[in-house]
Amino acid sequence: MNMEARVGVVVEGGQRALNTAHSSVVDASARKFLQQPQQPQHNLSVPKRSLNQHQAQIGTVQQLLAGGIAGAFSKTCTAPLARLTILFQVQGMHSDLAALSKPSILREASRIANEEGFRAFWKGNLVTIAHRLPYSSVNFYCYEHYKNFLQSVLGLDNHRESASVNLGVHFVGGGLAGMTAASATYPLDLVRTRLAAQFKISVLNSNSFGTLQRQAIYYKGIWHSFQTICREEGFLGLYKGLGATLLGVGPSIAISFSVYESLRSFWQSYRPNDPTVMVSLACGSLSGIASSTATFPIDLVRRRMQLEGAGGRARVYNNGLLGTFRYIIQSEGLRGLYRGILPEYYKVVPGVGIVFMTYETLKMLLSSVPTSF
């Protein structure tokens, strides 16, 4: 009896030991199985960092190419409206002309088509593309770098917790990028303005009888414009109006980028599945309206200062930026500061939207293109 009990105890103990050993083996196997995925994840972290480094390496080429093409494509699409805007902005420089005809977009468009032909709407578009390619490239490239630099300095890793500060980052980064790009490409912008502003029978003067006397075209092309400006106005003539340009471009690009980024973040937070093309086009158009409304008077003063003395015209604005503002208000009223705002809206609504839409689309397309530099 005792022998059976001891055998039972031994058997039972052996069974428990066997179960314990089996359980230990299973637990060890389970732990080993659960720990296995952690090792590959650790190994995969290196290629992930390498991939990010590769993307950063080709990001410069992507940003420059995407920004340049986006700017040139947008300006080509809106060139007719851009020329109408410039003509309305500088119309007040010829007081008799402004008195003889009230501003009318359709009338001015018909005049250009009848006197100069349909292709005249793209007059100066070659220099516009030559200006926009480097300008937009530098603009978007500098914006991305200024934005990343400011975010790293301020330690803005969590965008949700610092949305208001990021708005300031977008504003400052956009303003600095716009001023950098404008300074680097300003001579091309000045030549583009003068080519777009001249009429087919270009320089308009008025005689004592109030009729218009039209003379031959003054600037015959890009290179001729550079030569004529340097010969008649000196090398610094290529930078005439740069102060007003920086004063206008800085806030304009700052507002454009900050409004665009804010609207896009707000849109995507509520409708994350909407196509990127539609979101970029809509948010870019609204940001263009906001920036143009805020900075249009400065842009008008900039255009007139660029055309000061062009083609043998008498100098009118001799008192600098503030003096030009004061002269326009005294001679044309406050509405004179917004002369041409309507075609400007027609231009920026599709124009800025196309820029951001094309830029975002090209970034997605170019990100899949392998490069060796």
Side-chain angles (χ1 to χ4, degrees), residues 317-332:
Y317 311 115
N318 298 317
N319 297 321
L321 183 64
L322 295 179
T324 304
F325 269 107
R326 185 164 49 250
Y327 182 88
I328 293 174
I329 293 175
Q330 291 175 352
S331 59
E332 305 175 47

Side-chain angles (χ1 to χ4, degrees), residues 54-70 137 140 357-373:
H54 180 64
Q55 289 176 347
Q57 182 179 359
I58 65 175
T60 299
V61 178
Q62 291 174 335
Q63 291 171 12
L64 291 175
L65 188 59
I69 294 176
S137 297
F140 279 102
M357 178 192 70
T358 307
Y359 178 69
E360 298 292 346
T361 302
L362 287 176
K363 279 204 306 182
M364 290 189 297
L365 294 176
L366 293 175
S367 62
S368 61
V369 177
T371 58
S372 57
F373 50 89

Side-chain angles (χ1 to χ4, degrees), residues 179-356:
M179 294 172 69
T180 302
S183 300
T185 60
Y186 187 77
L188 284 169
D189 182 48
L190 183 136
V191 169
R192 178 184 70 89
T193 298
R194 295 200 177 184
L195 286 174
Q198 67 181 355
F199 298 139
K200 176 66 176 178
I201 320 176
S202 176
V203 184
L204 296 180
N205 298 316
S206 59
N207 59 25
S208 58
F209 298 100
T211 58
L212 296 178
Q213 179 183 0
R214 294 187 169 103
Q215 301 175 1
I217 191 170
Y218 201 78
Y219 300 111
K220 300 177 181 179
I222 299 175
W223 183 244
H224 179 261
S225 300
F226 276 111
Q227 289 179 323
T228 304
I229 293 171
C230 290
R231 183 177 63 252
E232 296 182 354
E233 306 172 48
F235 178 77
L236 293 180
L238 295 174
Y239 291 89
K240 185 174 294 183
L242 177 60
T245 298
L246 297 180
L247 188 61
V249 168
S252 176
I253 303 300
I255 294 172
S256 181
F257 273 113
S258 57
V259 172
Y260 171 76
E261 295 283 1
S262 300
L263 289 177
R264 188 181 64 166
S265 299
F266 179 79
W267 188 316
Q268 291 178 340
S269 64
Y270 285 92
R271 301 178 63 91
N273 296 325
D274 286 348
T276 303
V277 172
M278 182 182 69
V279 175
S280 300
L281 182 62
C283 295
S285 299
L286 293 175
S287 69
I289 293 176
S291 62
S292 293
T293 303
T295 61
F296 188 81
I298 299 177
D299 185 64
L300 180 138
V301 170
R302 173 176 72 95
R303 294 297 185 191
R304 295 198 181 183
M305 292 184 70
Q306 285 179 333
L307 293 171
E308 178 78 2
R313 292 189 183 94
R315 297 183 179 273
V316 178
Y317 311 115
N318 298 317
N319 297 321
L321 183 64
L322 295 179
T324 304
F325 269 107
R326 185 164 49 250
Y327 182 88
I328 293 174
I329 293 175
Q330 291 175 352
S331 59
E332 305 175 47
L334 289 175
R335 295 181 60 183
L337 293 176
Y338 285 90
R339 186 185 297 273
I341 188 66
L342 192 57
E344 174 73 6
Y345 283 149
Y346 293 157
K347 179 187 72 173
V348 300
V349 169
V352 181
I354 290 173
V355 167
F356 283 109

